[in-house]
Amino acid sequence: MVGRESFSIEPVEGVFMRSLAIAVAFGLAGGSVPALADDTAWQPGTAFDWSGGFIGAQAGYIGGNGHFYGSGDTAHPEPDGFVGGFYTGANYQFGNDIVVGVEADIAWSGARDSVLVYDATGAPWPADYPVVQKIDWTGAMRARFGYAVDRWLPYVAGGVAFASVSQRLVGAIENFDANYTGWTAGVGAEYAVTDKIIVRADYRYSDLGSKSFEVLGAPPLNISLKTHSARLGIAFKF
């Protein structure tokens, strides 16, 4: 019924990623790269320098809020469970300790839930015909803005979110699996344990939007999904 989409993230090497982060940050600020670099570039010897690329692994918890609705019937699965994967990106630190960066990540999940369907009167369908929703993987491309306090870096982040979701109505012949795209926003903090090893705690909220599916002999079925996730990570800085 619904075509599958593919999503992949290709790690980018250090020099190119640093240039990308600088270009994005300066473009958003509407400033000139050479002028800002001359006036506000980080000076060696002042504190830990957050500029550079990084690649790491993360794991944690993800919880979802799904909504199936169509022809007066509705269901609200709440898939939750483990999430874990990899992230990579780059930062640039200015002389005033502002840090800007870009980041991409992908994570696999076993979050799943099965719930009853209720009709327009609020009466439940038979228990043999629940809806099932499972988050297979999630991904995001985010911009980050933080303020460095030596080896500490609190930050806010936001961007585009992706998810591949398996979902079905038990007893129906249709396949409602889909790839979703939406937005994400969150906060976090990193700490440089050494000049090369950085640990983090990250929270994000994602609204992945809604998709409509054709159902034989019935009005379209709409399925939406929102998620929240808390993760711990460790990365290598280069």
Side-chain angles (χ1 to χ4, degrees):
M1 295 292 298
V2 177
R4 293 180 176 270
E5 303 170 16
S6 63
F7 173 73
S8 63
I9 297 174
E10 298 182 1
V12 187
E13 297 298 333
V15 175
F16 174 76
M17 294 192 68
R18 179 178 298 197
S19 300
L20 175 61
I22 296 171
V24 170
F26 287 176
L28 291 173
S32 164
V33 172
L36 286 175
D38 290 342
D39 295 339
T40 61
W42 178 86
Q43 298 299 317
T46 57
F48 179 74
D49 181 10
W50 287 89
S51 295
F54 56 86
I55 185 169
Q58 58 184 350
Y61 166 86
I62 188 170
N65 180 9
H67 187 196
F68 287 59
Y69 53 100
S71 142
D73 301 316
T74 185
H76 296 278
E78 297 183 343
D80 70 329
F82 171 83
V83 64
F86 304 96
Y87 61 98
T88 186
N91 295 314
Y92 183 82
Q93 180 173 346
F94 296 98
N96 57 5
D97 294 326
I98 297 295
V99 178
V100 297
V102 290
E103 176 181 309
D105 67 76
I106 186 169
W108 290 266
S109 173
R112 181 185 183 278
D113 193 22
S114 175
V115 298
L116 294 178
V117 179
Y118 292 84
D119 65 22
T121 68
W125 284 20
D128 292 340
Y129 299 96
V131 299
V132 180
Q133 190 172 47
K134 179 180 178 294
I135 302 172
D136 298 315
W137 60 260
T138 69
M141 297 182 66
R142 304 188 297 168
R144 301 199 312 163
F145 302 88
Y147 183 79
V149 184
D150 196 5
R151 291 183 175 271
W152 284 99
L153 179 64
Y155 62 85
V156 297
V160 182
F162 311 92
S164 179
V165 185
S166 299
Q167 42 203 12
R168 61 192 176 97
L169 172 61
V170 176
I173 62 174
E174 290 84 5
N175 180 354
F176 305 128
D177 297 353
N179 293 328
Y180 286 81
T181 302
W183 60 268
T184 184
V187 298
E190 293 186 333
Y191 179 73
V193 180
T194 71
D195 288 350
K196 296 296 184 181
I197 302 299
I198 298 174
V199 295
R200 69 152 56 167
D202 183 273
Y203 169 82
R204 70 185 69 181
Y205 171 85
S206 301
D207 185 336
L208 294 159
S210 177
K211 285 187 176 289
S212 182
F213 302 88
E214 296 296 327
V215 180
L216 183 64
L221 173 65
N222 298 292
I223 307 177
S224 63
L225 179 63
K226 300 177 176 66
T227 67
H228 58 94
S229 178
R231 311 176 189 190
L232 298 177
I234 183 168
F236 176 78
K237 179 179 179 291
F238 52 88

